[in-house]
Amino acid sequence: MLKIGNVEAPNKVVLAPMAGVCNPAFRLIAKEFGTGLVCAEMVSDKAIVHGNARSMEMLYVDDREKPLSLQIFGGDTETLVQAARIVDQHTNADIIDINMGCPVPKITKCDAGARWLLQPDKIEAMIATVVAAVSKPVTVKMRIGWDSEHIYAVENAKAVERGGGSAVSVHGRTREQLYTGKADWDIIREVKQALSIPVIGNGDVVTPEDAKRMLDQTGVDGVMIGRGALGNPWMLYRTVQYLANGELPPEPSAEEKIRIAILHMDRLIALKGEHVAVKEMRKHMAWYLKGMTGAARVKDIIMETEKRDEMVRTLDAYVEQLATSSLSGTAEESAVLH
């Protein structure tokens, strides 16, 4: 179990708040696959304060996703507080998360995201002001530092704790690394040892075994899975099971992968309409198909597809073709054996 403030998640597995991915369509699948806590993609504090229609839609929470954390980003305490109040009073999210990890220049140029990591002295005051303004638990997602010269992970995390934050998620890379190189789990361990609030570890967790190793090596209270879950919600389910009983459920069949991919698309269509959703699903479909036999040609077709039914026909034909070739392969094998 993972307890953040007054919010209890049934297990230690957390879905990372990935931009362009963690909308209700994918989050609900993650929840159905057993994930303890799901995090929504980040939303701009200014966009929330100004009532931007698209951003307000991003605050939608399906009750079936709970417990859920909604993430906001911004570089100005005043607007962060205003946005946090709106999330607190007008959404049924359980946790308000503040982004201090996004490495993208258009975010850091506004003093938001990872830019906070250079200002340990400002973090405590900002968190304290947000915490005082809302009733939901406030958490922070951060990186270990800005670059290899500026790693203030322990200092920054302690500032969050002193400000009244209820938990910290730490991605073991600097802003400079983006998503390259190796995540530094030793620094995550140092943060965990320095804090009394829950710490969630993030970075290089792509298998259930990685999740177990991170928990064992760092002592963190939860493990956050990001890119390892792209097109692969089974990774979340298999991790929950592996951590619970040491058993690894089998990988999904091609048919099961495609079934969930189509469910994902249909939920996205219900949210955003066919035109937008099918285009957005192209990248997801490429992730679902990753590593599958002969998938390259199917991906090429999918990248041009604009209609839901066309996409389904292409995927169904591909699954059928896989089944046929494996049957003929089995027949050939038995002919050789006999």
Side-chain angles (χ1 to χ4, degrees), residues 268-286:
L268 203 55
I269 289 169
L271 277 174
K272 301 189 174 192
E274 183 176 31
H275 182 68
V276 174
V278 172
K279 280 188 175 168
E280 204 174 293
M281 274 308 293
R282 290 171 181 170
K283 65 182 179 191
H284 288 280
M285 289 301 179

Side-chain angles (χ1 to χ4, degrees), residues 180-199:
T180 63
K182 204 165 172 285
D184 190 329
W185 290 7
D186 290 338
I187 293 177
I188 296 175
R189 185 176 68 239
E190 287 170 26
V191 173
K192 171 58 197 162
Q193 288 170 349
L195 266 58
S196 55
I197 56 172
V199 175

Side-chain angles (χ1 to χ4, degrees), residues 50 52 66 81-82 88 92 130 160 183 191 201 203 216 224 228 267-268 284 299 311 324 332 338:
H50 295 141
N52 174 279
K66 290 162 71 66
V81 167
Q82 290 175 330
D88 190 49
N92 57 345
V130 174
V160 172
V191 173
D216 292 345
M224 184 176 272
R267 285 183 175 165
L268 203 55
H284 288 280
K299 286 182 198 171
M311 186 91 85
T324 311
E332 280 167 28
H338 295 89

Side-chain angles (χ1 to χ4, degrees), residues 61-331:
V61 178
D62 184 318
D63 271 340
R64 294 172 293 174
E65 302 176 69
K66 290 162 71 66
L68 176 132
S69 164
L70 263 181
Q71 189 182 72
I72 58 176
F73 73 90
D76 176 70
T77 298
E78 199 179 321
T79 38
L80 274 171
V81 167
Q82 290 175 330
R85 275 207 183 101
I86 292 167
V87 172
D88 190 49
Q89 293 163 20
H90 301 288
T91 79
N92 57 345
D94 301 280
I95 294 165
I96 299 167
D97 189 56
I98 295 173
N99 182 301
M100 290 192 197
C102 183
V104 178
K106 72 172 184 183
I107 305 291
T108 57
K109 267 195 285 213
C110 310
D111 290 337
R115 178 64 72 174
W116 282 100
L117 303 175
L118 290 168
Q119 313 171 64
D121 52 325
K122 291 186 177 176
I123 290 173
E124 182 181 342
M126 182 271 281
I127 296 295
T129 314
V130 174
V131 168
V134 300
S135 59
K136 300 181 195 292
V138 174
T139 62
V140 164
K141 179 160 196 283
M142 57 183 250
R143 285 177 173 244
I144 56 170
W146 180 258
D147 55 27
S148 55
E149 304 296 307
H150 301 86
I151 293 180
Y152 310 138
V154 172
E155 211 177 320
N156 289 334
K158 284 172 102 166
V160 172
E161 181 173 49
R162 286 195 305 271
S166 293
V168 178
S169 303
V170 184
H171 181 166
R173 286 181 174 84
T174 62
R175 182 219 60 100
E176 185 182 51
Q177 280 181 281
L178 299 175
Y179 298 95
T180 63
K182 204 165 172 285
D184 190 329
W185 290 7
D186 290 338
I187 293 177
I188 296 175
R189 185 176 68 239
E190 287 170 26
V191 173
K192 171 58 197 162
Q193 288 170 349
L195 266 58
S196 55
I197 56 172
V199 175
I200 297 163
N202 177 221
D204 293 348
V205 178
V206 291
T207 67
E209 295 92 331
D210 291 337
K212 173 91 168 68
R213 213 168 55 249
M214 176 178 269
L215 288 164
D216 292 345
Q217 280 182 28
T218 65
V220 287
D221 304 275
V223 60
M224 184 176 272
I225 297 167
R227 289 172 297 160
L230 295 175
N232 189 11
W234 297 270
M235 156 59 183
L236 300 163
Y237 170 73
R238 295 174 80 240
T239 301
V240 171
Q241 294 301 311
Y242 185 65
L243 295 180
N245 55 35
E247 288 170 21
L248 267 180
E251 292 278 10
S253 64
E255 199 177 355
E256 165 72 357
K257 276 189 170 183
I258 299 306
R259 183 180 74 79
I260 295 297
I262 292 169
L263 170 67
H264 185 169
M265 174 168 65
D266 286 341
R267 285 183 175 165
L268 203 55
I269 289 169
L271 277 174
K272 301 189 174 192
E274 183 176 31
H275 182 68
V276 174
V278 172
K279 280 188 175 168
E280 204 174 293
M281 274 308 293
R282 290 171 181 170
K283 65 182 179 191
H284 288 280
M285 289 301 179
W287 289 324
Y288 278 106
L289 290 162
K290 194 178 170 189
M292 289 167 73
T293 313
R297 196 180 54 81
V298 186
K299 286 182 198 171
D300 290 343
I301 298 167
I302 276 166
M303 289 305 161
E304 303 296 320
T305 305
E306 296 193 354
K307 296 281 183 212
R308 182 248 178 218
D309 291 350
E310 279 174 46
M311 186 91 85
V312 171
R313 272 197 298 275
T314 303
L315 293 167
D316 284 348
Y318 171 62
V319 171
E320 211 169 299
Q321 181 195 332
L322 280 180
T324 311
S325 60
S326 80
L327 278 174
S328 64
T330 312

